[in-house]
Structures are given as C-alpha cells and as structure tokens.
Amino acid sequence: MGHDGAAQDGDGAAQDGDGAAQDGGGPPAGDEPGYGIGAVARRLGVPVPTLRTWNLRYGIGPSRRSPGGHRRYDEADLRRLEEMNRLIHAGVAPADAAGHALRHRPPPGPVAPAAATAGSVPSPERTPAGESGHPAAGAPGTAGGVPGRTAIGEPGHARGEEARSPATPGRPPSAAALARAALALDVRTVDGRLEAALHDRGVAWTWERLVRPAFAVIVGRQEETGAGVEVEHMFSERLLDALAARAREAPAPAYPRPVLLACAEEEQHSLPVYALAAALGELAVETRVLGPRTPYAALEAAMRRLGPSVVFVWSHRRETGDAVPLAALPRLRPASRVVVGGPGWADVLPPGTARVSTLPEAITAVMGLLR
C-alpha cells in the first residue's frame, strides 16, 4: 500500500536516511535526530502521500530539520499524527481532526503501532446490527418506495457518537435550519449548507450530524401530513450532487487497488453507497460506484476487471438482501474482501463477509482491509 509510495517519494525513507528498515522505524543514529517520513508512514500505517497531504493542507507535519537539512518528525509530532489518524478513523473530518490534534497536545507516551491507530475491524461474521429501520453505514436509505427515506431514529440524534467531531470555534451548521430550507424547497440554501458542511466538517460529520437529523424531520412531517414527497426527492437529489462534488475533490489515490461499491440486485436505494464513496475519497481511497440495482453478474465482471481490495454491497430491503449470491462472487488473487451494509441482509452471511452498521464503522472496516 503506502510502503511503495514511501520508497518512491523524494522525501521518503530511502532519501531521508532514517534507518527505518534497520531499526523498525525508530530514531536513526548519528546526526539525523527524529523520524523521516518513510519511518512515520510505516509506524502509523499511513501512506507517505497522505502524510504529505496532511502537512500541506492542515499544517500537521514535521516540526524540525536535522543538521543535514532533512525534515524530521519528533515524538510530539508522532503523537499528534496518531491522534489525527485515530479521529479520522472514528469518522471525524480530516480538517477537524487536524485542528483538534494541533490544539490538544496528546499525553506523552509511546506511539501506538499501525494496527492500533487504524481502528478495529468488525468481525468477519458480523458487527452489531442496528434496528431494522436504521440503515447500515449510518445512512438514510429509503422506505415506502421513495429514494432517500428511512427510519433513522429521533430527530437530531444520530447513531454512532464516534462520528462527532471535536468542538471548534464558531457556530456549527444546523440540522434544523437545513431541514427548514428543505421543507421550503429552498434549493440554494440547501446546496449552500451541504457544501459548506462537507467542506468544513467532512462527509462523516455531515452525514451523521446534518443529513440524518434533517431526513428525520422531513420524514416525520410526511408521516404527520401525508404529504411532502417532493421535499424528500429534492433533498435527496441535492445531497447526491453535493456528495458527487465532494468526491471529485478527493486527493490522489494513496492505495494501489480501488474499492468497489454497489447496491444489491434490484436495490434502488443508493445514497449510502455514494456517501461512503465520498468519505473514502477524503482518505485518498480510489472508489468505483456501480450504483443502484447492480446485477450480480455485473458486479462479478467489475471485480474481475478491477481486482478491488474491498467490495461493499448495500441492501436496504429484505427483498434484496439474499446473501446466497455473495458466496458466488469470484475468489480473486489477491483476494477481495466483502463488506455489506443495510438492514436488508439476511442474518446469516457467507464466511469472511463483514457486516457494518454505521458510516464510521464502514469507513473503519474498509480502511482496515486495504492492502
């Protein structure tokens, strides 16, 4: 994965002379104190291109130069990077994670190895499933045949507290204001608030703290009045456009193999798939989205063509959640791991298939399986 990038990078381990290959990533001997970027990449499990992006975009990088003129990370830099990495894998937007790591000095202590900072991967058989009305990946799906609709709990209370970002100065975007704009069919305000939240807070925060509560208000109004389907359709369309725009802003891929995302055959509800793709894009993961109602024959053909590291399949309705076709997906070399999300899936999944219940869980599971 990122190890190849470290070897090719002009500032990488080979050029820094950090001795990581000899000592497992510890500080080098001689007149080069601290850690080179290649050693940090191996120690934290974060690709070199991603470390460079974090330094350029958020100012979280090496704080010193060695007598030889090389940029070096010290122990405090490593602890800040570890904290940022932990927050990102918990679903916090990279900008917020960097700001928190820079403002709050982590306590002294050894830096955790890559396996610990990458977040835990759900059990291959199953992670705790949400209630039947809560879509996996923590995302609004559909209900009643209307794209985007789901029972997502009480308004304003997103599942998965791990998705909350640290407090930041200034007033955060308001889910109530977003819902009011949607109910008024105020497209300009909806677009502006979604764009601002995605830019400032990232996909996971926007999904958990704005989109899901706003959908709860919209769906609640429908249930009270029996009207308002047009509101839901408009909001779903604007959200899809905003996620697509966010995905186009993704940094260059930092992993050699893409992630393939699709809805189960005859499953129309695709918003969660696009949300996950945009969230992974923020982490420099290349994705391919096949969209709604993907025939398993088409999914199989795409797998053979792309050789993805991970295949994510979404099912919202029980009618589309037959797990038998998953067992028939091709076994590639190198292997492609399968992750499923959504309340539609059968209780028993093929061996080795992971089930996730929230967007942060899905991000963590996929990132843990990349190679």
Side-chain angles (χ1 to χ4, degrees), residues 5-18 36-39 48 52 55 62 65 69-73:
Q8 294 167 1
D9 235 335
D11 244 357
Q15 189 161 335
D16 281 340
D18 54 21
I37 194 169
V48 166
R52 292 187 182 284
N55 185 28
R65 285 190 181 272
H70 295 123
R71 303 185 70 186
R72 315 295 286 179
Y73 295 79

Side-chain angles (χ1 to χ4, degrees), residues 241-308:
D241 282 356
L243 290 171
R246 183 64 174 169
R248 288 193 293 270
E249 297 171 354
Y255 300 88
R257 300 166 64 199
V259 173
L260 183 62
L261 303 99
C263 292
E265 192 163 338
E266 300 304 325
E267 180 59 67
Q268 302 180 71
H269 312 140
S270 59
L271 278 176
V273 170
Y274 288 99
L276 179 57
L280 292 173
E282 291 179 333
L283 298 174
V285 177
E286 184 179 13
T287 62
R288 296 287 191 278
V289 179
L290 301 184
R293 304 181 68 177
T294 301
Y296 282 105
L299 181 61
E300 177 180 340
M303 288 178 64
R304 294 189 185 281
R305 185 173 302 175
L306 296 173

Side-chain angles (χ1 to χ4, degrees), residues 230-254:
E230 70 281 1
V231 175
E232 190 171 357
H233 277 252
M234 181 277 290
F235 187 65
S236 297
E237 273 306 305
R238 304 324 301 162
L239 175 60
L240 187 58
D241 282 356
L243 290 171
R246 183 64 174 169
R248 288 193 293 270
E249 297 171 354

Side-chain angles (χ1 to χ4, degrees), residues 87-93 128-131 134-139 152-154 156-166 203-210 212-213 356-364:
L87 290 170
I88 286 174
H89 282 284
V92 176
E131 296 82 355
H134 289 73
I152 50 179
E154 298 189 18
H157 294 275
R159 292 178 61 213
E161 292 300 308
E162 68 272 25
R164 296 190 179 188
S165 64
V203 174
W205 189 96
T206 301
W207 192 265
E208 295 289 326
R209 303 298 299 277
L210 283 188
R212 295 182 61 214
V356 294
S357 301
T358 68
L359 180 57
E361 275 186 16
I363 296 169
T364 299

